[in-house]
Amino acid sequence: MTNCIYIVGMGPGSEKKMSFEAKDILEKMDVIIGYKVYLDLLEEEFRTKEFISTPMKKEIERCKICFEKALEGKKVAIICSGDAGIYGMASLMYEIKEQFYADSQIELRVIPGITAAISGAAELGAPLNHDFCVISLSDLLTPWEKIEKRLVAAASADFAIALYNPSSKKRSHYLKKACEIMEKYIEKSRPCGYVKNIGRDGTEICVCSFEELKEESVDMFTTVFIGNSSTKVIDKKLVTPRGYNRNE
Amino acid sequence: MTNCIYIVGMGPGSEKKMSFEAKDILEKMDVIIGYKVYLDLLEEEFRTKEFISTPMKKEIERCKICFEKALEGKKVAIICSGDAGIYGMASLMYEIKEQFYADSQIELRVIPGITAAISGAAELGAPLNHDFCVISLSDLLTPWEKIEKRLVAAASADFAIALYNPSSKKRSHYLKKACEIMEKYIEKSRPCGYVKNIGRDGTEICVCSFEELKEESVDMFTTVFIGNSSTKVIDKKLVTPRGYNRNE
């Protein structure tokens, strides 16, 4: 039996930023699996489906449930906020398939969604409108030395930067720590910003300088943006020129 | 008179990867402005609208038309393939506003879309499932030295990498040139890949090694992906682990 599991990016919070493809696929499923907060957003829309959630840190179990349900012949989708392949479940699904279900002939298909770097950038104007890096400050799954090396590389090569997971209860000082690592390369007045709760109730948008950013209090639902050396503030928005306009 | 111009990311090619929000907004517009290839994708759907296109390299004129039409009281959207803020028109619209229409009270709003790094990654599996860089190899608007510096930074800090504009008629050897700059940091066997014509007819997907990538012939409609040092090939897909599975 061949069956296909869809790994679906829902975009940020509100359903209106989901793609038509993502919604079409969810409509056809029997079972939708995900982290509870994201399932709650869908349950009202799709009342007849089976919804299964596992808590955070139970990601491997969540993936295995997908395969078990698909082996029962069910049409299964696993959902992620934002994009499924940007700090999402896509890679783990492939790994779990290889380890436990290699003979199953179950196919995996990733359905892309709008990740927070993109939706947050749109709220702030156009901070990523040239070469950029996306870096997660969470050292739960990545050694801090590696994160530090990437922060230095990104800042010293003048990338615009989006930071995911800039803080959490246990890591409340991580954004400050990251800024201190980058301040050798980034002037204090560099335009920066952040967006909390993108696409959900209580969206909060802030434009500030790099110096101010260091002292800002952000949470795990915040995406932080650091401009490159050309980034300007226009109309209270962050604007990183692409270069079209340099001769005018 | 206050009016709002929408800068809309259409996602990759096919309409099914557009967000509900983007389509809702386009439905409400009087005038849709963009590069002709992208307008053609919409014209059938929205027959009653006014469509205006300018050729490539006429981006500044395209932006000015938006403001002129908005000043006439029209509801205006400018469209970009992918996302409007990733190598799109969003930043130029802010710059043109500042230079020529600062007193106009016209508001700008960016509507995010799925950029090729995300849609291409989904086709290839999950190559960007950890920290990553997006770099354009086009030196039309960026000095090559800056691009080179960013390639070195990205490769040496072990980012996964997405390359936009890897080649064109005039720059047919640029992907090779970029690979030669990075080969000091990236082993020959590193899993890489590319996607041509994402979301359109003639989509072509290739998984290859870094050594093979250097010799591949790609065009300006191709997005190239280079894994990080943990990237694996599973099921003929590129998989960059997030780290959930490292203790198993």
Side-chain angles (χ1 to χ4, degrees), chain B residues 1-3 67 71 97 100-107:
Chain B
M1 186 193 65
T2 308
N3 198 348
F67 286 96
L71 287 173
K97 183 182 170 188
F100 300 105
Y101 303 95
D103 300 329
S104 70
Q105 306 219 3
I106 289 171
E107 224 187 282

Side-chain angles (χ1 to χ4, degrees), chain A residues 87 97 99 131 235 245, chain B residues 87 97 99 131 158 235 245:
Chain A
Y87 306 113
K97 182 182 171 188
Q99 272 183 283
D131 303 333
D235 258 10
N245 210 25
Chain B
Y87 306 112
K97 183 182 170 188
Q99 274 184 281
D131 303 332
D158 197 25
D235 258 10
N245 210 26

Side-chain angles (χ1 to χ4, degrees), chain A residues 125-142:
Chain A
L128 303 184
N129 218 144
H130 207 296
D131 303 333
F132 66 97
C133 292
V134 177
I135 303 171
S136 166
L137 293 190
S138 169
D139 58 355
L140 202 65
L141 304 168
T142 308

Side-chain angles (χ1 to χ4, degrees), chain A:
Chain A
M1 185 194 65
T2 309
N3 199 347
C4 178
I5 301 174
Y6 294 92
I7 310 160
V8 179
M10 290 173 59
S14 79
E15 205 181 82
K16 65 180 185 172
K17 286 199 170 65
M18 196 186 280
S19 73
F20 285 87
E21 184 184 31
K23 195 165 178 192
D24 279 357
I25 284 168
L26 293 182
E27 273 167 6
K28 289 177 190 138
M29 296 296 105
D30 301 312
V31 185
I32 302 177
I33 295 167
Y35 181 48
K36 197 172 176 326
V37 177
Y38 310 136
L39 288 183
D40 288 347
L41 295 167
L42 291 176
E43 261 178 305
E44 205 156 316
E45 176 97 17
F46 299 115
R47 285 174 190 277
T48 60
K49 316 268 180 212
E50 182 179 0
F51 286 92
I52 302 174
S53 68
T54 66
M56 273 180 113
K57 300 194 180 164
K58 293 287 179 192
E59 287 82 8
I60 291 173
E61 287 80 343
R62 200 183 304 158
C63 292
K64 286 184 179 174
I65 294 169
C66 293
F67 287 96
E68 296 301 329
K69 288 284 174 182
L71 287 172
E72 289 173 18
K74 299 273 174 64
K75 291 177 197 153
V76 178
I78 178 168
I79 55 164
C80 306
S81 75
D83 178 60
I86 310 291
Y87 306 113
M89 302 297 284
S91 60
L92 185 59
M93 284 292 287
Y94 281 100
E95 292 181 277
I96 295 299
K97 182 182 171 188
E98 184 185 40
Q99 272 183 283
F100 301 104
Y101 303 95
D103 300 329
S104 70
Q105 305 218 3
I106 289 172
E107 224 186 284
L108 300 178
R109 274 201 57 199
V110 181
I111 308 301
I114 295 175
T115 186
I118 290 178
S119 54
E123 297 281 357
L124 281 165
L128 303 184
N129 218 144
H130 207 296
D131 303 333
F132 66 97
C133 292
V134 177
I135 303 171
S136 166
L137 293 190
S138 169
D139 58 355
L140 202 65
L141 304 168
T142 308
W144 178 257
E145 299 67 42
K146 197 148 206 174
I147 298 170
E148 194 166 318
K149 194 174 176 188
R150 288 175 180 161
L151 291 170
V152 168
S156 64
D158 198 23
F159 280 98
I161 302 168
L163 298 177
Y164 281 50
N165 306 307
S167 188
S168 72
K169 273 178 199 159
K170 284 189 191 154
R171 302 183 289 105
S172 62
H173 60 297
Y174 271 38
L175 177 58
K176 186 171 188 171
K177 200 166 137 184
C179 288
E180 282 166 357
I181 289 163
M182 293 186 284
E183 67 191 0
K184 196 176 146 191
Y185 310 97
I186 298 176
E187 70 285 2
K188 288 178 180 174
S189 61
R190 177 78 58 90
C192 294
Y194 59 83
V195 187
K196 287 187 187 179
N197 300 315
I198 302 171
R200 294 188 215 171
D201 292 342
T203 302
E204 201 181 302
I205 297 165
C206 173
V207 171
C208 60
S209 69
F210 183 68
E211 190 176 22
E212 288 160 347
L213 182 67
K214 201 165 79 173
E215 307 301 334
E216 290 290 331
S217 128
V218 298
D219 61 21
M220 60 181 288
F221 300 108
T222 306
T223 310
V224 169
F225 296 81
I226 298 168
N228 71 17
S229 61
S230 305
T231 303
K232 301 178 281 190
V233 177
I234 301 177
D235 258 10
K236 296 179 188 162
K237 298 283 183 180
L238 287 180
V239 178
T240 301
R242 183 159 179 204
Y244 287 121
N245 210 25
R246 65 179 164 176
N247 299 321
E248 291 223 355

Side-chain angles (χ1 to χ4, degrees), chain B residues 80-122:
Chain B
C80 307
S81 75
D83 177 59
I86 309 291
Y87 306 112
M89 302 297 285
S91 59
L92 185 58
M93 283 292 287
Y94 282 100
E95 292 181 276
I96 296 298
K97 183 182 170 188
E98 184 186 40
Q99 274 184 281
F100 300 105
Y101 303 95
D103 300 329
S104 70
Q105 306 219 3
I106 289 171
E107 224 187 282
L108 299 178
R109 274 202 56 199
V110 182
I111 307 301
I114 294 175
T115 187
I118 290 178
S119 54

Side-chain angles (χ1 to χ4, degrees), chain B residues 159-248:
Chain B
F159 281 97
I161 301 169
L163 298 177
Y164 281 51
N165 306 305
S167 188
S168 72
K169 274 177 197 158
K170 285 189 191 153
R171 301 183 290 105
S172 61
H173 61 297
Y174 271 38
L175 177 59
K176 186 170 188 172
K177 200 166 137 183
C179 288
E180 282 167 356
I181 288 163
M182 293 186 285
E183 68 191 358
K184 196 175 147 192
Y185 310 96
I186 298 176
E187 69 285 3
K188 289 179 180 173
S189 61
R190 177 79 59 90
C192 296
Y194 59 83
V195 187
K196 286 186 187 180
N197 301 316
I198 302 170
R200 295 187 215 172
D201 292 344
T203 302
E204 201 179 302
I205 296 165
C206 174
V207 171
C208 61
S209 69
F210 182 69
E211 190 176 21
E212 289 160 346
L213 181 67
K214 201 164 80 173
E215 308 301 334
E216 290 290 330
S217 128
V218 297
D219 61 22
M220 59 181 289
F221 301 108
T222 307
T223 310
V224 170
F225 295 83
I226 298 168
N228 71 17
S229 61
S230 305
T231 303
K232 301 179 279 190
V233 177
I234 300 177
D235 258 10
K236 296 180 189 163
K237 299 282 184 180
L238 288 180
V239 178
T240 301
R242 184 160 177 202
Y244 287 121
N245 210 26
R246 65 180 165 175
N247 299 319
E248 290 221 356

